[in-house]
């Protein structure tokens, strides 16, 4: 999947504008037409009913002038900021809409909800500018998705906060950030040799924001050959932007490979693994690691990899406390890229609400030769399949942030590097950890370092204070022998208890 194809929205189309005069959303909403009562159960009942029917793909029919747009042509279709919904009404959010075309041909039905009534948002070509493209003659094209704006960085500017566009993808940013990784409604058959199934959001019901309330509520109907599902997103932008997500899945068929709360990102290379990457920058990635807080209280850091071959990993757990794809390197000097500004990309942390039972956090790492591809996927997969005609509810909180919320007791792995060892046939790993319980170790402390591998041999494990950072440095050598891959694990303990995150890594030849 091409990143610029699936995730381009804010890279070129985002608009910052000052709150001002009222818009003229004249024909976009036909007052009174097809109005329907709406409450918290409306979309869930639609999903339940839809799942009892055979799957029917949404319409992709477009007039000739829109059916074969190139990427650059599609970028030329811009929503007019002066036509944003709720503009000039002294409300905390404004909404803009995406035009159909290019890869975004499926029609997505849009509704505004106010006073317990849902009203369709009508397409009107006057809502858009088309640059050198002909103005569409059709008047009922519908939309491809939408984005919300709010004064997240300055009180007098409405910046783009989140966007829902393409399949079931959506993205968001917190204060001071730019777009990076994405979330999805649901993942199905990800990494399966038979091919992945991509569910679609078929419709959105966006509640009119309330004056003085910094939260937007979005309801979404998801559909795919395997299931239908209902989602409710309560979106609160800020220093961390938080989505409270309520989802209900209604399988049409038995689903053994469903992914709950899926995250999608890009990792090309880092100082830990840059073999064969002839690039002037020190690192290139939207996320550099998978962080997990297990149900038993262990905190695990798994750096990402760009492998030669597709890699699948599963980390079994019961009632996980959280997992997420993190962007830990926050200094400009970690990337040196004035255009991409990877240090400003968000981390995304999934906080399960309630018991999720037994299952595993899955990590999919796909080979890529450049930074234009999303090649990392992480999600939760229940141990037992989701059965046809069943009903499965998952509630969780998404934190678009710099770091995962809360203050962990154990130290963090802040850097990991790798290179040839001094002895032929070996590989040297160097980790820096600091914070948490590590700060409380006395000057004479000698924590125990436990490093293991399932293939080959570990030699010369060392843990020592790093006077330059105030933390600790861990180093060890891997001698893989004839092995083509090795699962590494490093744990730093004091008195038998962990004082730093457990470091996991899959080395590949």
């Amino acid at each position: 999947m091409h990143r610029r194809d699936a995730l381009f929205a804010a890279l070129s189309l985002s608009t910052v504008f000052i709150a001002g005069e009222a818009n003229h959303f004249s024909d976009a909403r036909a007052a009174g037409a097809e109005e329907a009562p709406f409450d918290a159960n409306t979309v869930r009942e639609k999903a339940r009913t839809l799942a009892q029917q055979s799957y029917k793909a949404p319409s992709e029919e477009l007039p000739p002038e829109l059916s074969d747009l190139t990427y650059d042509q599609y970028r030329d279709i811009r929503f007019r900021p002066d036509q944003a919904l709720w503009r000039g009404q002294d409300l905390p959010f404004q909404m803009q809409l995406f035009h159909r075309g290019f890869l975004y041909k499926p029609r997505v039905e849009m509704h505004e909800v106010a006073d317990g009534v849902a009203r369709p948002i009508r397409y009107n070509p006057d809502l858009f500018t088309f640059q050198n493209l002909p103005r569409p003659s059709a008047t009922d094209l519908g939309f491809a998705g939408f984005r919300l704006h709010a004064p997240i960085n300055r009180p007098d500017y409405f910046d783009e906060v989140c966007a829902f566009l393409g399949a079931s993808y959506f993205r968001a940013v917190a204060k001071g950030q730019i777009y990076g990784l994405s979330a999805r409604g649901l993942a199905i058959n990800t990494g399966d040799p038979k091919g992945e199934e991509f569910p679609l959001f078929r419709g959105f019901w966006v509640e009119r924001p309330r004056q003085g309330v910094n939260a937007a509520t979005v309801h979404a109907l998801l559909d795919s050959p395997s299931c239908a599902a209902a989602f409710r997103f309560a979106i609160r932008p800020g220093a961390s932007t938080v989505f409270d997500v309520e989802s209900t899945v209604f399988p049409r068929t038995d689903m053994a490979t469903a992914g709950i709360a899926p995250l999608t990102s890009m990792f090309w290379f880092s100082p830990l693994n840059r073999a064969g990457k002839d690039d002037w920058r020190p690192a290139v990635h939207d996320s550099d690691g998978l962080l997990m807080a297990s149900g038993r209280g262990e905190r695990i850091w798994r750096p990402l990899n760009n492998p030669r071959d597709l890699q699948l990993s599963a980390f079994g757990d019961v009632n996980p406390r959280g997992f997420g794809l993190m962007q830990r390197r926050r200094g400009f000097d970690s990337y040196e890229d004035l255009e991409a500004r990877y240090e400003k990309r968000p981390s995304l942390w999934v906080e399960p609400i309630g018991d999720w039972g037994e299952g595993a956090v899955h990590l999919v790492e796909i080979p890529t030769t450049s930074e234009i591809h999303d090649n990392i996927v992480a999600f939760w997969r229940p141990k037992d399949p989701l059965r046809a005609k069943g009903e499965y509810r998952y509630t969780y909180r998404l934190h678009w942030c710099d770091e995962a919320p809360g203050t962990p007791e154990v130290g963090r792995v802040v850097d990991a590097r790798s290179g040839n060892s001094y002895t032929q046939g070996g590989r040297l790993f160097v980790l820096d950890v600091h914070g948490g319980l590590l700060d409380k170790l006395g000057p004479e402390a000698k924590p125990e370092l436990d490093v293991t591998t399932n293939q080959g041999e570990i030699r010369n494990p060392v843990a020592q204070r790093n006077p330059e950072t105030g933390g600790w440095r861990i180093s060890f050598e891997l001698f893989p022998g004839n092995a083509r891959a090795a699962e590494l694990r490093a744990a730093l303990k004091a008195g038998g208890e962990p004082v730093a995150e457990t470091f996991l890594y899959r080395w590949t030849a």
Side-chain angles (χ1 to χ4, degrees):
M1 177 179 299
H2 293 275
R3 293 184 66 247
R4 76 167 191 171
D5 292 349
L7 303 177
F8 76 92
L11 298 181
S12 58
L13 301 184
S14 60
T15 307
V16 179
F17 54 93
I18 301 176
E21 71 281 356
N23 66 37
H24 302 285
F25 215 91
S26 55
D27 295 328
R29 290 173 291 167
E34 298 182 26
E35 294 182 355
F38 188 93
D39 61 29
N41 293 316
T42 297
V43 179
R44 185 180 296 119
E45 291 307 312
K46 288 180 179 292
R48 190 194 311 274
T49 301
L50 191 61
Q52 297 170 3
Q53 305 167 6
S54 298
Y55 175 73
K56 182 180 179 181
S59 171
E60 296 189 6
E61 184 178 351
L62 287 170
E65 63 268 22
L66 294 172
S67 59
D68 296 310
L69 295 181
T70 65
Y71 168 71
D72 290 323
Q73 287 176 321
Y74 184 71
R75 285 176 52 185
D76 284 341
I77 304 177
R78 308 290 183 95
F79 189 89
R80 292 172 52 188
D82 65 314
Q83 294 298 304
L85 196 63
W86 313 313
R87 181 176 171 90
Q89 298 182 26
D90 194 27
L91 295 175
F93 293 89
Q94 297 177 12
M95 182 167 67
Q96 299 187 19
L97 299 159
F98 289 107
H99 206 283
R100 294 172 62 200
F102 185 50
L103 295 180
Y104 310 105
K105 294 180 180 180
R107 181 184 180 119
V108 177
E109 302 296 338
M110 294 296 307
H111 309 80
E112 180 194 16
V113 177
D115 302 322
V117 176
R119 300 175 177 86
I121 299 176
R122 300 298 189 187
Y123 172 83
N124 185 336
D126 291 340
L127 298 173
F128 300 89
T129 59
F130 295 89
Q131 302 297 320
N132 297 319
L133 295 173
R135 183 179 183 275
S137 57
T139 58
D140 189 27
L141 289 178
F143 302 101
F146 72 98
R147 58 192 181 193
L148 294 177
H149 295 245
I152 190 173
N153 292 303
R154 288 173 50 182
D156 56 342
Y157 278 77
F158 279 70
D159 294 314
E160 185 170 339
V161 169
C162 64
F164 290 75
L165 178 66
S168 68
Y169 285 87
F170 57 97
R171 298 190 293 171
V173 292
K175 182 178 181 179
Q177 295 180 342
I178 63 175
Y179 278 135
L181 79 171
S182 296
R184 283 193 267 170
L186 200 63
I188 302 175
N189 301 338
T190 305
D192 193 311
K194 298 178 182 179
E196 185 168 0
E197 178 180 317
F198 289 92
L200 303 169
F201 282 136
R202 302 196 67 150
F204 293 99
W205 290 257
V206 185
E207 296 187 18
R208 178 191 291 268
R210 290 181 293 166
Q211 192 172 27
V213 178
N214 184 37
T217 302
V218 175
H219 305 261
L221 177 64
L222 179 143
D223 196 16
S224 81
S226 296
C227 70
F231 287 79
R232 180 185 183 274
F233 303 95
I235 301 168
R236 304 190 305 276
S240 290
T241 291
V242 177
F243 284 38
D244 286 332
V245 184
E246 299 175 10
S247 64
T248 309
V249 181
F250 300 93
R252 287 189 171 95
T253 62
D254 290 347
M255 299 170 61
T257 57
I260 307 301
L263 316 177
T264 301
S265 192
M266 179 276 294
F267 177 88
W268 190 20
F269 66 88
S270 75
L272 183 60
N273 182 358
R274 58 174 300 134
K277 312 301 187 299
D278 187 14
D279 192 275
W280 60 274
R281 295 164 292 184
V284 175
H285 48 72
D286 280 346
S287 307
D288 56 356
L290 170 66
L291 179 64
M292 293 171 280
S294 74
R296 59 185 179 275
E298 185 179 16
R299 204 166 176 92
I300 300 167
W301 177 247
R302 166 56 157 82
L304 298 178
N305 199 359
N306 178 10
R308 185 185 301 271
D309 302 304
L310 174 71
Q311 299 283 344
L312 305 175
S313 303
F315 307 91
D317 202 357
V318 179
N319 296 326
R321 299 181 184 180
F323 67 93
L325 293 175
M326 301 289 112
Q327 182 75 321
R328 274 202 169 161
R329 302 174 188 273
R330 288 295 171 186
F332 173 76
D333 57 355
S334 293
Y335 311 94
E336 296 287 350
D337 194 324
L338 285 171
E339 181 180 357
R341 303 310 299 259
Y342 288 111
E343 74 277 6
K344 295 186 177 182
R345 307 294 174 104
S347 298
L348 183 48
W349 180 251
V350 180
E351 177 189 353
I353 306 298
D355 292 342
W356 279 18
E358 189 173 357
V361 175
H362 284 246
L363 175 64
V364 182
E365 296 167 304
I366 305 168
T368 185
T369 57
S370 75
E371 63 198 284
I372 67 170
H373 300 95
D374 266 349
N375 62 318
I376 302 295
V377 186
F379 53 83
W380 172 260
R381 177 170 291 165
K383 177 184 177 182
D384 297 325
L386 307 187
R387 298 296 184 185
K389 299 183 180 180
E391 178 176 333
Y392 300 88
R393 297 194 180 192
Y394 293 92
T395 302
Y396 52 96
R397 187 167 289 137
L398 296 175
H399 300 261
W400 308 81
C401 53
D402 287 336
E403 267 296 330
T407 303
E409 292 187 357
V410 296
R412 297 164 60 243
V413 179
V414 296
D415 206 356
R417 299 175 181 272
S418 175
N420 287 326
S421 75
Y422 302 112
T423 304
Q424 186 175 0
R427 190 78 186 166
L428 176 64
F429 291 84
V430 179
L431 319 177
D432 279 310
V433 296
H434 70 62
L437 293 174
L438 292 171
D439 294 341
K440 300 179 181 180
L441 295 179
E444 304 302 322
K446 295 182 179 180
E448 309 97 50
L449 176 60
D450 182 20
V451 184
T452 60
T453 177
N454 70 335
Q455 297 289 336
E457 179 186 1
I458 297 294
R459 299 181 190 172
N460 303 318
V462 175
Q464 60 182 323
R465 289 188 184 273
N466 184 339
E468 299 301 319
T469 66
W472 287 75
R473 173 159 288 186
I474 295 170
S475 62
F476 59 89
E477 292 174 293
L478 168 69
F479 288 83
N482 295 324
R484 304 300 297 170
E487 299 287 351
L488 306 178
R489 181 183 182 94
L492 193 64
K493 299 181 179 181
E497 296 297 325
V499 291
E501 295 170 339
T502 300
F503 173 86
L504 300 182
Y505 188 64
R506 177 180 291 164
W507 171 85
T508 55

